[in-house]
Amino acid sequence: MRIINATVTKIFDSRGEPTIEIALEAKDGTKGTAQVPSGKSRGTGEVSVVSFDRAARTVRGIVPAMRRANFSSPMIFDRFLRVQDGTRDLHRLGGNCALGLSLAFARAMAAERKQELWALIEGFYFKERPAAARPARPMIFSNIINGGAHAATNLAIQEYIAVAKPEGASSETVARVIALYREVGNALRRRTGLRRLPLGDEGGYAVDFKDNGAPLALLAASIKKLRFDKIFSLAIDAAASEFYKNGKYNFEGKKLSSAAMADVYASFRRRASSLMSVEDPCAETDAKGFALARARLPGVWIVGDDLTVTDAARIGRFIEDGVITGVIIKPNQIGTLSATCDAITAAQKRGARVIVSHRSGETGDNAIIHIAKACSADAVKIGAPARERLLKFNEYVRIFR
Ligand code: 2PG
Ligand code: MG
């Protein structure tokens, strides 16, 4: 495929922060665009983010080389980006700019072939996966109560997540998530006396709680009230790097060791027995703490995000060392579609769970849902069913009929 033009537009994410949209145009007139999200609780190992001005300049600089090439696959296009960049971590191009180009190319190629994006990704990256071994539809991780860096409340834990198992039509799964979100909202309105509840970055409710375990108890009670027990489980993203300082976790007024944090999670599980997944239970520099949490929580997914930053080598190492049993996959942590798919494969071939995830600063781009379908991910993590996040829910309904 021959690309004749690339343009970068400054747009704004759901938090009102500037980000970029990239549009590529092929010789035959086909177009592909991509919008890049941004994170607030970023892992230090994530690829760098460059400003709009720098992205625009860099893209202008590589267009002539792009015009001279003929790309027969997304892998070859991504390799071209790496050569143009010339650094190991894409810091010349910027991870955001590289991802925009990479996804825009995949979309242009899918359009040329009159394919859905997921079908193109599946064909190029996941053909060899044993189909029967993986779920047909991912669970939905929906962040109903926001804390940590995503909300101005007293909660240290960043996300309290309802996990919906796909049962029946995908629209029914989404309808149940919405019903649960409303039920939790009603309970919180009754408790706080507020008519309008404040929301956090990902659309979840952002109010104070008695302690960090209380939101899980509330979610469990709401699930029970709606008789959704068989369909929903619970998860948290502690994003613990955010409250880790000088080797200790600043948690509920105390300075806790990793072992004491593992005890906290075990106590959460006693309060909400359906807790099935804990993301970043410890800081990104405290892999040993992850292993402690894993030992304290048998059967619960111990998931890396800031720890693993969608990097195939880190993912492989931490799974083999027994530190994690699942990974968050965020394309903008690593910078290209190919590297994202390599990270997924690194997890899947070692038997770990894969959760394809949004960022706290989102755009209308729905590529993550397509990536989840292409690789038969265990789950997609897409925030609360509200505001701009609904775009992801709607794409889930559309492509997972
Ligand atoms: C996370 C994400 C998304 P952010 O920590 O998993 O929920 O947050 O995009 O702020 O890193
Ligand atoms: Mg996280």
Side-chain angles (χ1 to χ4, degrees):
M1 167 166 233
R2 288 189 173 274
I3 301 294
I4 56 161
N5 208 6
T7 52
V8 186
T9 308
K10 188 186 221 168
I11 59 165
F12 296 89
D13 71 16
S14 54
R15 287 195 310 250
E17 297 297 329
T19 181
I20 55 171
E21 176 185 275
I22 294 199
L24 294 182
E25 192 188 336
K27 202 168 173 201
D28 65 358
T30 348
K31 289 196 176 76
T33 64
Q35 300 178 332
V36 183
S38 67
K40 201 188 248 177
S41 60
R42 292 169 45 81
T44 47
E46 295 190 23
V47 287
S48 62
V49 176
V50 299
S51 68
F52 161 75
D53 289 337
R54 171 127 175 236
R57 230 178 310 133
T58 318
V59 168
R60 268 199 306 278
I62 65 171
V63 164
M66 223 185 259
R67 284 203 184 116
R68 287 193 295 275
N70 192 356
F71 305 105
S72 55
S73 74
M75 288 89 156
I76 289 173
F77 183 79
D78 288 350
R79 224 168 292 143
F80 164 84
L81 293 180
R82 290 213 170 266
V83 171
Q84 291 297 313
D85 177 85
T87 68
R88 205 197 64 82
D89 58 354
L90 293 171
H91 74 248
R92 237 172 50 80
L93 262 178
N96 54 336
C97 184
L99 181 67
L101 288 163
S102 177
L103 283 176
F105 178 81
R107 283 218 174 87
M109 190 165 237
E112 187 197 41
R113 297 170 164 221
K114 303 199 173 11
Q115 259 183 325
E116 289 264 11
L117 180 61
W118 65 262
L120 179 103
I121 298 173
E122 182 183 58
F124 276 111
Y125 296 95
F126 298 105
K127 250 209 323 267
E128 276 147 42
R129 138 217 92 163
R134 307 218 58 92
R137 262 200 273 154
M139 299 178 213
I140 296 179
F141 275 46
S142 180
N143 181 4
I144 306 285
I145 296 169
N146 292 182
H150 293 172
T153 67
N154 66 347
L155 295 171
I157 302 295
Q158 181 176 279
E159 302 171 24
Y160 295 86
I161 299 165
V163 180
K165 295 189 189 78
E167 267 203 33
S170 54
S171 59
E172 283 171 38
T173 303
V174 170
R176 287 189 203 105
V177 177
I178 293 170
L180 177 61
Y181 178 68
R182 289 188 179 151
E183 174 57 35
V184 172
N186 291 338
L188 285 175
R189 267 185 290 275
R190 279 195 300 275
R191 203 202 73 192
T192 58
L194 294 169
R195 281 207 294 160
R196 273 189 162 272
L197 293 166
L199 302 181
D201 286 343
E202 299 183 352
Y205 304 115
V207 295
D208 282 353
F209 279 84
K210 192 166 87 282
D211 58 50
N212 279 274
L216 281 172
L218 173 66
L219 285 177
S222 301
I223 288 168
K224 193 151 181 249
K225 188 166 173 203
L226 296 176
R227 297 180 202 275
F228 282 167
D229 311 54
K230 290 211 170 62
I231 286 164
F232 281 91
S233 308
L234 295 174
I236 55 171
D237 177 3
S241 299
E242 299 288 321
F243 53 90
Y244 187 65
K245 230 184 173 169
N246 303 326
K248 293 283 178 205
Y249 294 91
N250 292 325
F251 191 80
E252 297 184 344
K254 297 191 214 87
K255 292 195 188 323
L256 301 184
S257 66
S258 318
M261 267 326 285
D263 288 341
V264 167
Y265 301 125
S267 77
F268 285 179
R269 197 189 193 184
R270 284 195 294 279
R271 284 170 81 171
S273 60
S274 64
L275 182 66
M276 59 159 270
S277 173
V278 178
E279 177 183 335
D280 282 347
C282 292
E284 61 186 16
T285 49
D286 183 19
K288 281 205 187 98
F290 276 72
L292 286 176
R294 186 178 171 196
R296 279 300 260 120
L297 298 164
V300 172
W301 303 2
I302 300 297
V303 176
D305 170 16
D306 292 353
L307 178 78
T308 39
V309 289
T310 316
D311 180 288
R314 290 176 72 90
I315 288 172
R317 186 170 81 234
F318 287 124
I319 296 170
E320 281 167 18
D321 290 350
V323 168
I324 49 169
T325 58
V327 287
I328 288 289
I329 295 292
K330 294 169 172 168
N332 78 326
Q333 283 181 327
I334 194 70
T336 62
L337 175 63
S338 298
T340 302
C341 294
D342 288 349
I344 293 170
T345 301
Q348 287 183 335
K349 76 174 184 220
R350 292 173 177 87
R353 305 289 185 166
V354 165
I355 306 167
V356 184
S357 169
H358 68 162
R359 298 308 303 253
S360 51
E362 262 303 330
T363 67
D365 198 289
N366 54 32
I368 56 165
I369 310 296
H370 288 252
I371 293 170
K373 181 164 167 108
C375 74
S376 308
D378 296 282
V380 287
K381 185 180 159 189
I382 48 182
R387 309 188 299 189
E388 77 289 339
R389 309 280 149 173
L390 275 168
L391 299 175
K392 308 277 192 293
F393 284 86
N394 287 339
E395 191 67 356
Y396 180 96
V397 170
R398 190 183 73 79
I399 71 174
F400 289 107
R401 274 173 206 290

